[in-house]
Amino acid sequence: MSLAAHDLSCIRQERQIFSNLSFTLSKGELLWVKGRNGAGKSSLLRIMAQLLSSPTGRIEWAGQDISEDPSEYLQNIRYIGHQDGLKSVFTPRENLQFWIDYLGTGAIKPALSALELDAIADSPVRILSAGQKKRTQLAKLLAVPAPVWVLDEPVSSLDVHFIDLFRDILKGHIASGGMALLATHQDLGIAGTRILNLDQLVVEGGE
Amino acid sequence: MKPFLTLVQRDIQLAIRQGSALTLTLSFFVIAVTLFPLGVGPELNILARIGPGVLWVGALLSCMLTLDRIFQADFEDGSLEQLLIGPLPALFMVLAKILAHWVTSVLPLILITPILAISLNMPIDGVVAMVGALLVGTPVLSLIGGVGAALTVAMRRGGVLLSILVLPLYIPVLIFGVAAVEAAIALLPVAPHIMLLGGLALGALVICPVAAAAALRLATE
């Protein structure tokens, strides 16, 4: 299984954000998308999550162009965006349970305990802090597993302890053969991270 | 099929938890309909004459009240984009949300209609036809409303625009709905009118989810 992007570009309101962008991602790889504000990090991740269309190029999943039928590819990705996608009148447990039922399979208990959510699992989301909401959102990655994680600022509003915790979760995901696309401002410092710098449009590094 | 039912169930649960949608439409409907006897006077034959029209217009307007809620909350908190990349094709996702809207905001109106109809001096034949016509005709309201709601989802104050977009499209339902009840009161055959409403409902069922799904795709880009 591998993910490849060829010649993607992004145009927002008649302004070109980036063009001619290609990269590949195979099992056990983490690609860190870097760039200044407005370089198109979020847009790239939204293109990869099929929420935005690229006017040029194509995305290939396991060697197949996904433009014809993206449903199989979409089953294999989890997208974490800026908006938390949580229902404020539901508890974290109910929110996660909905996504488990909706997306098919999954387990709620390990996900809650991995992100230390047990204590607040039954309080409505509207009374939670921004960090607690973020953790509930991240718990979805573990509750409903998928090989490709598309993470847009996954550690924003987390404190140092939970950033460490999330780094370990991400390492575990990569070590077990998962893939991740990550856009953050801070370096998570995971060994073997490849870097896609949108300011220079080159893929560097790796093992 | 399971994701579809899960989504319908979630939206119904949300509506019950938030409470406002259910009670809001229902009380608006009851108040709007009871205002008419106060306005036109308590003469029974006048009430019987205007009853079907009053009930249908009341149902149309109360159904409008919660239309903007179909997609807006999900759009604002980001659930909508997660739903769009989920396992359910967008048009079935839209259909599930429209169905949940119908169950939570329209079905209660239909259930209370017989009481209001009797209070407007409608004969029993008319009441039966009224409920039948509402059951067949109101899904059209939710479906067309779903397209309007999807088109205005990204707008801050889309509510008024939504009414302007959607209300003219409700006219056929109103015409055939009222005709069905009046035919029943006059002891004429009701079936043709109900069938026309059914035709509208089937047409809307085919076209509206596709249009709404396309509008949502545009809104999330």
Side-chain angles (χ1 to χ4, degrees), chain B residues 26 29 103 106-116 131 134-135:
Chain B
L26 203 54
F29 183 53
V103 171
V106 183
L107 198 56
L109 304 185
I110 301 180
L111 296 179
I112 206 161
T113 297
I115 300 172
L116 291 172
V131 172
L134 280 173
L135 278 173

Side-chain angles (χ1 to χ4, degrees), chain A residues 141-183:
Chain A
L141 292 171
L142 297 172
V144 202
V148 184
W149 290 0
V150 180
L151 308 168
D152 198 353
E153 297 290 352
V155 294
S156 66
S157 63
L158 291 187
D159 63 26
V160 182
H161 167 69
F162 286 109
I163 291 180
D164 285 342
L165 190 79
F166 181 69
R167 181 184 297 127
D168 292 339
I169 291 173
L170 191 55
K171 273 183 189 162
H173 174 67
I174 299 297
S176 63
M179 313 171 204
L181 264 169
L182 175 74

